Amino acid sequence: MKQKIWKWASLLPLSLVLLLSGCSENMLVMRPKGPVAKTQYDLILWSIGFMLLIIVVVFVLFTVVLIRYREKPGMENYEPEEEGNTLLEIVWTAIPILIVTALAIPTVKATFALEKPTKEKVEPITIHVTAANWKWIFSYPDQNIETVNYVNIPVDVPVKFKLTSVGPMNSFWVPQLGGQKYAMDGMETELFLEADEPGSYMGRSANFSGEGFTHMEFEVVAQTQKEFNKWVKEAQSTAPKLSETKYETILKPGLVGRMTFSNTHLEWIDHSKQNSHHAGEADEQARLCNPLEGNGIVVE
Amino acid sequence: MKWSEFFVTGEPLIYAADVAIVLTVIGIVFVLTYFKKWKWLWDEWLTTVDHKKIGVMYIISAVLMLFRGGVDALLMRAQLTAPNMKFLNSEHYNEIFTTHGTIMILFMAMPFIIGLMNIVVPLQIGARDVAYPYLNALSFWLFFVGAMLFNISFVIGGSPNAGWTSYFPLAGNEFSPGVGNNYYAVALQISGIGTLMTGINFLVTILKMRAPGMTLMRMPMFTWTILITCVLIIFAFPVLTVALALMTFDRLFDTQFFTMANGGMSMLWANLFWIWGHPEVYIVILPSFGIFSEVVSTFARKRLFGYKAMVYSIVGIAFLSFIVWVHHFFTMGAGAAVNSVFSITTMAIAVPTGVKIFNWLFTLRKGKIRFTTAMLWSLAFIPNFVIGGVTGVMLAMAAADYQYHNSYFLIAHFHYVLIAGTVFACFAGLHYWYPKMFGHILNERLGKWTFWLFMIGFNICFFPMYFLGLMGMTRRMYTYSEGLGWTPLNVVASVGAVLMGIGFIVLCYNIYYSARYGERDMTGDPWDGRTLEWATSSPVAHYNFAITPEVKDLDAYWEMKKSGKGFEIDEEKLKPIHMPSNSGRPFLISIAFFFAGFGLVFKWFWLAIIATIFIALGLILRSFDDDDGYYISVDEIKRTERLSGKGA
């Protein structure tokens, strides 16, 4: 009876494999669609190799030791004594050092590489990203377009995202295009990403920023250069102008849908250059998002 | 302020909690009055300065907080089991993950570890109490009122909701106007003072009060880890104290240290928090390593393999723990050079940790392994912690971390190290030293049930989270939509959480069952132990050792047993023992701290000022206190020793 249970229990890990193969479609980090994500994917695979090796070695040793040296009848007079073994200890200090070195070198290389544009020959397109409670605002200074909660980019062109925030810190993350970076009030951080396949990619805030944080998602639409140009033209000619008052209403805490404008808020304010709030406004803002006064989430 | 703002309203769960709290208080008062136990409570517990009783109170508080933090966890799992659940709304969920994190780290893991060290360290070094018993009582009560202050937030005023990391500007007045985050700042401050004093107390105790012959390199491994932990506490906690003080100023007096206006710098908070926060995780993990070392060596019946290397590696880990804090925000854009440096220092921690893992494995090798409950927890630690450790190295690789940061991959990692490390160690230590605390053994059968339920549940709960992270699920999301494909793994995780909950219930039942029917430990040495605590009777006499033992070797008691003598008490050599007197003042001062804290939370400064006057009064009275303690007579020692069967 007991053995039967173990037989079935041993199948449990298998069920995990089955479950995961069903989910692997959704494993965004492991399905890179651009050079940045690919660099990180390679680094992750490289590290997983070493980690599996360590796990296998430790688990095998562990199992062998437990089976071999469990207390058995007839061991009454066995008095094990052993203090240590300098040679062995040097070995298992040296091996982790080697492994860490093998991981550190590509890590440092990749970390430096990710700070630079993904391509040298192609001029990057610049997009300002402003995180605000709880939406993402994208400004194209060269194309003079502003979008909310979605961003169109051309494929095979490096995109230089200049990140900032109005209010709490958020983190700009598009798993399939590459790792994240923080967007902070009064600061500007830069993140290079690039898509090499047209498609729609999920992006979201990865840093908790309050009540509406969970819904702080955006879509990255990667298009061929031709389609992108077409979209730019269309937006420039058909989208409404963004006014300062309209912009103020967008910034108010709450959720909004997608929007497109044919100018950018950079005309009158760049949040990365200044603290977004002054003492007086802060009080106003505080009242607006006071959870004691009704529920803060406004859907427009 | 209106009453409707003072009390949290509007949630059926909260009303249920209100009722439960009132009923519990009435129940406790009734039981104490009916059985005429008030005096007993005051004399034996509230005023005690005995390190063993203080340790027991720490552990009871920790188990209570484990319950609270665990309920928080189960509520979160319930909400995340299915997509678009309406069980908790965003605000409620935010409060729950904030209190879960804060409580589990500061009010569960810390006091559990500190409780065990209170009970064990003086016994292991052959001392009769800690260096400053009065201060020790004050430490405990400050921790306790800090924890209580933090806990009442969910029925009075509202809980903090900016995450246990409490990042600014979110945690500032502008975005978190309620009193919730005041609770965070003030309650952590009060209990933090207690922790800092514990660090000082045990550092002095270990350095100055070891039995004759116990050189530093003959100290039991647990004591070694506590010594290093005390150093970590002394260097790390002042940073928290300062950070929380600045936070309190920002929130109560509108200063601008971390805000967005007038030159405030929110990144400063993140740095200060993690300069404390990273050593903090080693403060809870190093003692765990100590516990595993003791248990593994006892039940493998072997001396710890590579004792010296173990000591050097904890010192190395402790040193490294102060120069890795930036890895908590590689994504802040500090630049490739900074990230690379911190990446390498972080990965370097894997080296001493790896050394320890192999030394434990080789302690087991050639041993005679007995699978007691305490040993099961310690053995399970090794594979589980290795999984947490290697994923930690993966997170340490800055460029790759950009993809893991703040995702469920991170959640899985730190639960693997904190649960498989600290929580397993607390359970191992609890089973192992339980006879020393209460004189009976925790039932092994129930203990093994707890172990298997909890350990399997833990893996089912947290292993899938690695994959959820790679799927793009970020921490602190209160819900998710169906199309993302996260549902199956979330269901699995919730099942695991329930198993862990059942394991906890079995543990609580075990405590009750063993108190009634458990096997009494008449020998004082139920596990055939190696260190000095097993030379005492179970439960330990008030004065610990009738005669101060002499230490000739590492594993002092083992050596005594091998030489055939054991720990003999020669009645001729008994002398009256000097002990410190009980005092109610630490308790009363801490109550004043509670009211001062409560006043600050609500900006009722009159209350804070009055309470502070009482605190000052308590300190002044202490300064004029000339109670030098008392002596236990030789006759009484003889009687006690004969009763416990230890005397000749």
Side-chain angles (χ1 to χ4, degrees):
Chain A
M1 182 61 208
K2 208 169 182 186
Q3 274 190 332
K4 214 170 195 177
I5 293 175
W6 281 112
K7 220 181 212 169
W8 284 107
S10 65
L11 289 177
L12 272 176
L14 192 69
S15 67
L16 191 71
V17 173
L18 285 176
L19 195 68
L20 287 175
S21 61
C23 300
S24 66
E25 205 46 37
N26 302 312
M27 214 101 84
L28 302 180
V29 172
M30 307 313 264
R31 311 212 148 240
K33 298 287 184 196
V36 173
K38 185 71 173 53
T39 307
Q40 288 161 332
Y41 171 78
D42 291 340
L43 193 59
I44 290 170
L45 281 194
W46 173 252
S47 64
I48 286 179
F50 280 103
M51 298 307 144
L52 284 179
L53 179 79
I54 295 171
I55 287 182
V56 168
V57 169
V58 173
F59 279 38
V60 167
L61 247 161
F62 179 74
T63 317
V64 169
V65 164
L66 285 198
I67 293 173
R68 174 98 173 64
Y69 298 105
R70 67 189 194 281
E71 188 173 40
K72 281 163 284 202
M75 272 180 136
E76 287 79 16
N77 297 319
Y78 175 50
E79 291 287 347
E81 275 311 332
E82 187 184 22
E83 289 207 0
N85 183 325
T86 315
L87 182 69
L88 276 175
E89 286 171 69
I90 290 172
V91 168
W92 61 63
T93 314
I95 292 175
I97 291 177
L98 290 178
I99 294 178
V100 164
T101 314
L103 295 173
I105 292 168
T107 301
V108 172
K109 272 189 184 164
T111 307
F112 275 91
L114 294 184
E115 298 289 317
K116 292 194 281 273
T118 37
K119 282 199 179 80
E120 279 174 11
K121 285 176 211 143
V122 188
E123 183 68 20
I125 169 175
T126 303
I127 301 177
H128 287 253
V129 180
T130 309
N133 274 350
W134 291 283
K135 69 276 297 177
W136 291 96
I137 302 164
F138 300 92
S139 321
Y140 300 68
D142 298 330
Q143 287 76 14
N144 211 24
I145 297 175
E146 182 144 312
T147 60
V148 178
N149 286 340
Y150 80 98
V151 57
N152 284 22
I153 58 168
V155 291
D156 295 325
V157 177
V159 187
K160 183 191 208 174
F161 287 106
K162 288 170 162 262
L163 314 170
T164 189
S165 165
V166 185
M169 186 166 86
N170 279 286
S171 194
F172 179 84
W173 189 27
V174 189
Q176 287 193 284
L177 298 188
Q180 61 196 288
K181 202 164 256 184
Y182 285 163
M184 292 173 289
D185 193 278
M187 307 285 294
E188 187 171 87
T189 44
E190 276 184 9
L191 178 65
F192 284 101
L193 295 179
E194 184 187 323
D196 44 31
E197 261 180 55
S200 153
Y201 306 111
M202 190 261 293
R204 57 166 298 106
S205 172
N207 193 71
F208 178 62
S209 55
E211 200 182 346
F213 151 75
T214 301
H215 304 292
M216 226 172 135
E217 279 181 350
F218 58 94
E219 184 188 3
V220 181
V221 185
Q223 301 172 306
T224 59
Q225 187 70 49
K226 220 166 108 190
E227 277 177 41
F228 179 74
N229 291 344
K230 200 178 130 207
W231 171 77
V232 168
K233 281 237 172 65
E234 215 174 84
Q236 282 168 341
S237 55
T238 59
K241 287 272 176 217
L242 177 66
S243 65
E244 280 191 54
T245 36
K246 174 69 182 167
Y247 185 64
E248 286 300 317
T249 52
I250 294 175
L251 286 189
K252 277 185 188 159
L255 303 180
V256 297
R258 294 182 183 201
M259 292 179 224
T260 315
F261 300 101
S262 55
N263 60 331
T264 74
H265 74 265
L266 299 173
E267 286 168 18
W268 61 84
I269 186 164
D270 182 348
H271 301 284
S272 67
K273 300 286 190 299
Q274 64 206 82
N275 282 137
S276 318
H277 298 265
H278 306 288
E281 275 181 359
D283 294 343
E284 175 69 21
Q285 203 73 25
R287 227 175 312 158
L288 277 171
C289 56
N290 185 345
L292 291 175
E293 293 175 22
N295 242 332
I297 294 191
V298 186
V299 180
E300 250 185 50
Chain B
M1 176 174 265
K2 285 187 261 54
W3 284 113
S4 61
E5 285 174 25
F6 185 73
F7 290 110
V8 178
T9 51
E11 286 275 347
L13 281 172
I14 297 287
Y15 292 131
D18 287 337
V19 173
I21 290 170
V22 171
L23 287 180
T24 312
V25 170
I26 293 173
I28 292 172
V29 170
F30 176 78
V31 168
L32 286 173
T33 314
Y34 186 82
F35 292 102
K36 301 199 173 69
K37 288 285 186 189
W38 284 102
K39 191 166 162 19
W40 166 82
L41 183 70
W42 179 259
D43 288 345
E44 295 288 319
W45 296 98
L46 300 187
T47 62
T48 187
V49 294
D50 180 351
H51 69 98
K52 300 176 289 293
K53 285 185 177 165
I54 289 173
V56 167
M57 289 193 289
Y58 265 117
I59 290 173
I60 292 171
S61 318
V63 172
L64 283 176
M65 289 297 106
L66 179 59
F67 172 73
R68 162 79 208 268
V71 170
D72 284 347
L74 288 173
L75 290 174
M76 285 192 284
R77 283 315 321 163
Q79 166 66 16
L80 290 178
T81 304
N84 299 317
M85 282 280 275
K86 296 279 188 288
F87 176 58
L88 300 172
N89 64 23
S90 168
E91 274 301 289
H92 201 170
Y93 188 85
N94 298 345
E95 294 183 352
I96 288 176
F97 71 65
T98 302
T99 52
H100 168 76
T102 315
I103 286 175
M104 284 302 200
I105 292 278
L106 286 149
F107 301 130
M108 191 284 285
M110 289 285 289
F112 217 130
I113 295 286
I114 293 178
L116 289 171
M117 86 193 212
N118 256 286
I119 292 162
V120 177
V121 167
L123 296 175
Q124 278 198 333
I125 62 173
R128 293 204 168 112
D129 207 322
V130 294
Y132 311 113
Y134 180 94
L135 194 66
N136 200 21
L138 188 57
S139 288
F140 168 74
W141 288 111
L142 284 179
F143 144 73
F144 186 77
V145 298
M148 289 303 112
L149 188 63
F150 190 84
N151 271 278
I152 57 163
S153 67
F154 90 110
V155 286
I156 297 177
S159 299
N161 59 358
W164 90 280
T165 49
S166 209
Y167 272 10
F168 279 80
L170 180 65
N173 279 331
E174 190 178 343
F175 299 102
S176 304
V179 296
N181 290 287
N182 297 353
Y183 272 114
Y184 176 95
V186 176
L188 264 57
Q189 188 69 281
I190 293 174
S191 70
I193 298 170
T195 309
L196 187 53
M197 296 193 310
T198 300
I200 296 168
N201 206 343
F202 277 80
L203 184 82
V204 178
T205 306
I206 295 172
L207 289 180
K208 302 292 288 182
M209 296 177 67
R210 276 167 291 135
M214 185 179 277
T215 59
L216 284 177
M217 287 318 253
R218 281 184 191 164
M219 287 198 315
M221 189 48 62
F222 180 64
T223 301
W224 251 115
T225 57
I226 295 299
L227 177 69
I228 301 299
T229 302
C230 290
V231 176
L232 287 182
I233 289 176
I234 291 167
F235 281 98
F237 265 77
V239 182
L240 179 72
T241 306
V242 170
L244 288 173
L246 298 181
M247 177 180 182
T248 312
F249 290 150
D250 264 17
R251 293 198 53 89
L252 298 185
F253 309 116
D254 289 314
T255 55
Q256 312 281 335
F257 292 109
F258 306 128
T259 61
M260 304 182 304
N262 304 322
M265 178 62 86
S266 56
M267 289 187 297
L268 179 62
W269 168 266
N271 277 280
L272 288 175
F273 183 85
W274 286 115
I275 287 173
W276 161 76
H278 201 84
E280 162 69 12
V281 297
Y282 287 88
I283 290 170
V284 295
I285 205 70
L286 287 184
S288 310
F289 289 171
I291 294 169
F292 294 132
S293 299
E294 300 291 338
V295 174
V296 164
S297 120
T298 300
F299 294 112
R301 320 291 211 93
K302 263 181 81 204
R303 174 183 284 211
L304 192 63
F305 190 91
Y307 173 85
K308 273 189 193 159
M310 293 297 245
V311 172
Y312 298 145
S313 58
I314 44 172
V315 175
I317 292 172
F319 171 74
L320 287 171
S321 76
F322 277 100
I323 51 170
V324 298
W325 79 94
V326 170
H327 72 217
H328 293 275
F329 41 84
F330 278 145
T331 51
M332 202 177 255
V338 172
N339 282 356
S340 297
V341 168
F342 282 92
S343 205
I344 292 169
T345 52
T346 307
M347 282 191 259
I349 293 186
V351 177
T353 314
V355 169
K356 295 188 82 71
I357 295 281
F358 280 100
N359 278 342
W360 282 313
L361 284 175
F362 273 69
T363 308
L364 293 167
R365 184 173 154 266
K366 294 190 180 167
K368 279 203 279 195
I369 303 170
R370 263 192 294 162
F371 294 92
T372 58
T373 309
M375 186 62 161
L376 285 178
W377 286 112
S378 308
L379 292 175
F381 150 78
I382 293 175
N384 285 301
F385 191 80
V386 165
I387 294 175
V390 296
T391 50
V393 175
M394 291 170 73
L395 279 154
M397 302 165 65
D401 173 73
Y402 304 156
Q403 286 282 33
Y404 309 131
H405 184 75
N406 272 356
S407 75
Y408 263 71
F409 192 90
L410 169 82
I411 302 290
H413 155 70
F414 74 66
H415 283 92
Y416 259 87
V417 283
L418 282 172
I419 294 181
T422 305
V423 177
F424 283 17
C426 290
F427 289 158
L430 187 70
H431 278 87
Y432 185 57
W433 284 306
Y434 206 79
K436 286 290 138 205
M437 305 175 206
F438 299 106
H440 58 266
I441 294 167
L442 273 179
N443 184 281
E444 282 284 303
R445 214 177 126 83
L446 288 169
K448 284 172 186 170
W449 269 101
T450 305
F451 167 75
W452 288 109
L453 281 166
F454 196 92
M455 199 274 289
I456 292 172
F458 158 71
N459 275 287
I460 294 177
C461 183
F462 291 103
F463 200 71
M465 290 187 187
Y466 283 118
F467 300 96
L468 281 170
L470 297 177
M471 291 178 183
M473 183 164 174
T474 57
R475 70 194 297 193
R476 296 168 176 175
M477 297 178 72
Y478 79 98
T479 189
Y480 52 92
S481 54
E482 206 172 347
L484 294 160
W486 300 346
T487 320
L489 291 181
N490 271 302
V491 172
V492 173
S494 296
V495 171
V498 171
L499 284 182
M500 292 168 84
I502 297 172
F504 176 76
I505 292 171
V506 177
L507 174 74
C508 294
Y509 176 70
N510 193 1
I511 290 172
Y512 161 79
Y513 178 88
S514 304
R516 291 204 64 171
Y517 312 108
E519 180 193 336
R520 307 291 127 172
D521 170 33
M522 307 307 287
T523 60
D525 183 20
W527 315 120
D528 200 5
R530 311 175 73 84
T531 40
L532 279 180
E533 72 267 34
W534 305 109
T536 59
S537 56
S538 292
V540 187
H542 175 45
Y543 46 78
N544 295 356
F545 297 92
I547 295 174
T548 303
E550 275 202 42
V551 177
K552 299 209 179 74
D553 193 10
L554 174 69
D555 292 344
Y557 187 48
W558 188 257
E559 189 273 336
M560 288 177 194
K561 286 192 281 192
K562 288 296 121 180
S563 65
K565 286 191 297 225
F567 179 50
E568 276 183 346
I569 290 158
D570 184 354
E571 292 199 348
E572 297 303 308
K573 285 191 187 158
L574 288 178
K575 281 190 214 120
I577 296 174
H578 183 214
M579 295 301 288
S581 306
N582 282 1
S583 171
R585 225 177 286 115
F587 176 70
L588 295 174
I589 290 177
S590 302
I591 296 284
F593 261 99
F594 179 87
F595 283 104
F598 195 77
L600 285 180
V601 166
F602 283 91
K603 296 198 198 177
W604 297 345
F605 294 114
W606 56 269
L607 178 61
I609 290 168
I610 294 172
T612 311
I613 292 172
F614 274 98
I615 296 170
L617 199 67
L619 297 178
I620 292 166
L621 284 176
R622 165 66 179 170
S623 306
F624 289 98
D625 189 354
D626 49 9
D627 183 347
D628 282 338
Y630 64 98
Y631 281 89
I632 301 176
S633 69
V634 173
D635 282 345
E636 197 187 331
I637 301 168
K638 278 185 191 162
R639 235 179 300 132
T640 318
E641 291 298 312
R642 280 178 189 158
L643 266 179
S644 72
K646 280 266 163 188

